[in-house]
Amino acid sequence: MTEKKTNKLKILNDPIYGFITIPNTLICDLIDHPYFQRLRRISQMGLSHLVYPGAHHTRFHHAIGSMHLMQKAVRNLRFKGINISEEEANALYIAILLHDIGHGAFSHALEQSIITGIHHEAISLRFMEALNEEFNGQLTLAITIFTEKYHRKFLHQLISSQLDMDRLDYLNRDSFYTGVAEGNISSERLIAMLNVEDDTLVIEEKGIYSVEKFIVARRLMYWQVYLHKTGLVAEKLLGKILKRAKELTLLGEKLPASKAFSYFLHHQTTKEKFTLETLKIFAKLDDYDVFSAIKEWISYNDRVISKLSESLINRILPKIILQKEPFTKLQIEKIKQQTKKKLNLSNSELDYFVYHGKIQNQAYDATKNNIQILYKNGTIKDVTEASDHLNLQALSNTVYKYYMCYPKK
C-alpha cells in the first residue's frame, strides 16, 4: 500500500474575512512551527480586555489575517499589470506572516522592564533568520524585503508603511473584537485602489475618501482603545510589577516563575547578547508565564510586588488622571506625600505607586512613508494635500496627553 499524503493546504475560518486559504506547504509548515504557534498565547491587545471584555484575540489571528490581505493585494496589483513573480509573492506572504513574531508576552510592558536593549522588530528578524536556517534558505528573499534591502521598494511598503497590510488588518480586527465601530474600515476598497507608480505604492484618486476614513479611524481607535485611560493604567501597573520583579531578582530574591520567565528575570538582555540560545528560551515565554507568576506573587513576602500583583489580578486598578497640560511639580509632590503617608511607604517604594508621563497620538505622519494619491493625469500628491477634508492636515500633527497614576482612596 502507498502511504497516504496529508493535505497541508489548509483553509481557516476567520470571523473577519471568512475562509482564508494557506497558499502553499512552506507557509503551512511555518504556521505549524512552535515559534509561530507561540503567537496563539500572545494577546494582540495586551490588557485591553480589562476595558473591552471581547478583546482576547491573539497575534496569531492578526498574522494570519495580514497574510490574507497580502494575498488580496498581490492579486489586485497583478490584475493592474504590476509584475510580481511567484517568488516575490511568496516572500511577501512569509514576511507579513512573520512580521510580529518577535513580540513578547504583553510586549510593550515587557520591553520597558524585563527584556530591554532589543526591540521586538529585531527579535522578529532573529526568528526569521533562525527559521531560514531550518528551512534551508527558503526565507532569504522574505528577509531581504522585510529589511528593506530589496531593489523593489513598493514590496516593503506592503509590509511596513502608513497604509500596509498590518494596519489594515489590526484596525478591522481590533474594532471587531472590542466592539468599537469607529475602527471599522473598508480594507477591500483600499486594497482595490492600490497601484504602483515609480516603484512607490500609491492609492488611485477615487480611493481618497477611503484613505480619509482610514486615517480618522486610526486616530479614533488610538484614543478610544489603544490609549484608553483604563487600559493605559493597567499596562503601566503591569510594567511596575515586572520592574519590581526584576529588581528583587537582581537582589537575590527567588520569585516563583517558569524557567523561561526566570531566565529573563535573572539576565540582562542586549541586542548583542540575544543569541540563538536566548531566542529559544524567549520562544517559550508567553502571556501564560507572566500571568501565572503574577498570581503567585500576590502571596510573596515583598509588600510592593504583592500589593501591585493583587491590584492587577483582581482589577483594582490605580486612579489615572489624563489631561492636555503637563502636571506641575506641586501637583505631583502633593499626591506623592499623601500616598506615602497613607501606605507608609519609603521613597524608593513610592515610585511603584505614584507615577506620571505622557502619551502621544499621530494618526498620520506626512514626513515618513506618506500616503500618495495618484490622479488620472499621472500627478501624485500627498493625501493631506489632495484631500478636501478640513481636519486631515491637523491629524498629521502629534497630540500629547499627560497622565498621573496613584492608588485610589
Side-chain angles (χ1 to χ4, degrees):
M1 288 179 68
T2 57
E3 187 179 346
K4 187 178 179 181
K5 291 185 178 179
T6 304
N7 178 18
K8 299 200 76 176
L9 297 178
K10 298 185 176 79
I11 294 175
L12 305 178
N13 196 349
D14 182 78
I16 313 295
Y17 311 117
F19 293 114
I20 293 177
T21 303
I22 308 303
N24 56 57
T25 54
L26 171 59
I27 289 177
C28 269
D29 289 338
L30 287 170
I31 290 170
D32 287 341
H33 196 283
Y35 287 170
F36 190 81
Q37 287 294 314
R38 163 185 162 273
L39 295 182
R40 291 183 184 271
R41 305 186 300 276
I42 305 288
S43 171
Q44 173 69 14
M45 296 184 65
L47 293 167
S48 289
H49 64 272
L50 294 178
V51 184
Y52 300 101
H56 279 287
H57 55 300
T58 66
R59 294 200 178 272
F60 181 92
H61 294 134
H62 167 58
I64 297 290
S66 299
M67 183 197 68
H68 174 69
L69 294 184
M70 186 66 81
Q71 289 175 273
K72 284 179 173 287
V74 168
R75 282 197 295 269
N76 170 68
L77 291 174
R78 281 174 169 171
F79 178 75
K80 293 180 179 179
I82 309 302
N83 180 40
I84 300 174
S85 69
E86 280 302 312
E87 187 184 10
E88 288 171 333
N90 202 45
L92 283 172
Y93 306 151
I94 292 169
I96 197 68
L97 183 75
L98 304 179
H99 78 283
D100 269 352
I101 197 170
H103 271 287
F106 303 104
S107 180
H108 302 296
L110 204 75
E111 282 182 7
Q112 295 167 11
S113 54
I114 303 293
I115 302 175
T116 56
I118 182 167
H119 195 261
H120 68 264
E121 288 181 357
I123 300 176
S124 289
L125 182 57
R126 297 285 170 89
F127 270 123
M128 291 171 76
E129 289 167 345
L131 287 166
N132 197 34
E133 286 283 326
E134 198 170 324
F135 285 85
N136 302 313
Q138 293 183 83
L139 281 68
T140 300
L141 183 55
I143 292 170
T144 305
I145 294 172
F146 180 77
T147 53
E148 212 171 350
K149 293 177 182 175
Y150 195 57
H151 66 278
R152 305 187 78 187
K153 175 186 171 185
F154 80 91
L155 295 178
H156 176 78
Q157 289 179 316
L158 287 166
I159 300 163
S160 179
S161 65
Q162 292 200 74
L163 192 62
D164 54 33
M165 300 308 107
D166 171 34
R167 292 187 183 191
L168 290 187
D169 180 79
Y170 78 62
L171 279 176
N172 266 338
R173 192 166 298 278
D174 297 349
S175 169
F176 177 87
Y177 281 100
T178 57
V180 177
E182 287 82 356
N184 188 19
I185 57 166
S186 178
S187 55
E188 291 269 357
R189 172 77 174 167
L190 286 163
I191 289 171
M193 294 298 106
L194 285 176
N195 212 325
V196 176
E197 191 74 17
D198 296 330
D199 196 35
T200 301
L201 209 60
V202 294
I203 294 286
E204 293 167 0
E205 179 184 359
K206 54 191 173 183
I208 190 169
Y209 302 122
S210 297
V211 175
E212 290 174 351
K213 186 175 187 301
F214 165 79
I215 293 172
V216 171
R218 195 161 181 268
R219 176 187 179 274
L220 294 175
M221 283 293 285
Y222 265 85
W223 286 134
Q224 285 188 244
V225 178
Y226 308 127
L227 297 175
H228 187 286
K229 68 176 188 176
T230 305
L232 177 64
V233 74
E235 184 177 306
K236 297 301 176 185
L237 174 60
L238 174 59
K240 291 294 181 181
I241 294 169
L242 296 176
K243 184 182 175 184
R244 183 62 170 181
K246 184 85 170 180
E247 181 183 32
L248 292 172
T249 303
L250 294 177
L251 288 172
E253 300 271 352
K254 293 183 178 180
L255 276 73
S258 68
K259 287 183 180 179
F261 196 13
S262 291
Y263 176 87
F264 290 103
L265 287 173
H266 283 88
H267 294 83
Q268 299 285 8
T269 54
T270 63
K271 199 169 184 178
E272 295 70 32
K273 291 180 181 177
F274 212 91
T275 63
L276 180 58
E277 288 306 309
T278 310
L279 187 73
K280 288 177 179 178
I281 298 169
F282 180 84
K284 296 176 182 176
L285 181 64
D286 54 48
D287 289 6
Y288 299 173
D289 297 79
V290 174
F291 246 85
S292 296
I294 292 174
K295 284 173 68 179
E296 290 295 317
W297 296 344
I298 291 174
S299 56
Y300 197 71
N301 60 11
D302 175 77
R303 69 169 180 160
V304 173
I305 202 167
S306 172
K307 191 171 183 63
L308 295 177
S309 298
E310 184 179 16
S311 178
L312 183 64
I313 293 296
N314 294 327
R315 202 188 177 280
I316 309 167
L317 302 176
K319 184 176 179 61
I320 179 170
I321 300 174
L322 202 61
Q323 62 185 40
K324 293 181 180 179
E325 300 299 324
F327 291 92
T328 65
K329 289 183 179 180
L330 187 63
Q331 288 174 314
I332 296 167
E333 191 58 30
K334 181 181 178 182
I335 294 293
K336 280 188 172 183
Q337 291 307 315
Q338 288 175 348
T339 305
K340 183 180 179 181
K341 183 178 180 182
K342 184 176 74 173
L343 300 180
N344 191 25
L345 299 170
S346 66
N347 287 332
S348 61
E349 291 173 333
L350 185 60
D351 288 337
Y352 286 101
F353 293 91
V354 180
Y355 36 95
H356 60 95
K358 70 177 178 180
I359 54 175
Q360 65 184 63
N361 183 2
Q362 186 179 24
Y364 175 68
D365 185 353
T367 66
K368 184 181 178 184
N369 278 322
N370 55 333
I371 300 172
Q372 305 268 33
I373 303 298
L374 173 66
Y375 288 85
K376 289 179 183 178
N377 63 5
T379 305
I380 295 176
K381 291 183 180 179
D382 180 86
V383 65
T384 55
E385 186 184 352
S387 172
D388 58 4
H389 195 300
L390 295 176
N391 292 326
L392 211 58
Q393 185 67 50
L395 293 181
S396 65
N397 298 327
T398 304
V399 179
Y400 295 96
K401 287 189 180 181
Y402 301 83
Y403 66 85
M404 181 157 60
C405 310
Y406 55 93
K408 291 177 181 175
K409 293 181 181 179

